[in-house]
Amino acid sequence: MIMGNIVFRDRYEVLEELGRKPGRKTLLAHDKDTQEKVVVKLLLFGGDFEWQHLKLFEREAQTLKNLSHPAIPTYIDYFDLGKQGKGFALVQTYDDSWCCFAPVWADTLGN
């Protein structure tokens, strides 16, 4: 799904949706600061939200922040959506070569 005119933190301009599960979205975005493509993972508070989801999302952000390996996405940013919605966003590096594995990872890792 192609998306437009959505920009988080005046920096991450959404290009398209890569995946969706209840309460979660994974987006491809353009980082205006670095001119690179990035992945923005959203955890949205809604009817299907469980506190365990937030714990897992925060753990993923913290783990990415502490890891450094070429096969693992690099942590870029983590923030509260604020006025753009109820939830949090995790921003990480994007690599075109990962796209062919994205559906497999989304199913295995819960997107």
Side-chain angles (χ1 to χ4, degrees), residues 22-110:
R24 302 175 193 189
K25 284 186 186 179
T26 303
L27 309 169
L28 178 64
H30 172 78
D31 184 338
K32 292 180 176 185
D33 287 359
T34 65
Q35 302 303 311
E36 299 285 334
K37 287 182 180 178
V38 296
V39 172
V40 179
K41 291 185 173 182
L42 302 178
L43 175 67
L44 305 168
F45 299 161
D48 54 358
F49 174 78
E50 295 179 21
W51 285 107
Q52 184 66 19
H53 296 159
L54 178 58
K55 289 179 186 177
L56 292 172
F57 196 76
E58 288 176 333
R59 186 181 328 161
E60 179 181 1
Q62 192 60 43
T63 301
L64 277 182
K65 201 173 190 178
N66 294 323
L67 291 177
S68 177
H69 189 279
I72 299 173
T74 303
Y75 170 94
I76 297 173
D77 201 357
Y78 181 84
F79 55 92
D80 184 328
L81 293 176
K83 294 179 182 178
Q84 290 180 291
K86 294 180 180 177
F88 291 94
L90 167 62
V91 183
Q92 61 192 45
T93 54
Y94 172 77
D95 185 331
D96 289 333
S97 64
W98 298 340
C99 66
C100 57
F101 297 107
V104 175
W105 288 341
D107 287 342
T108 341
L109 302 175

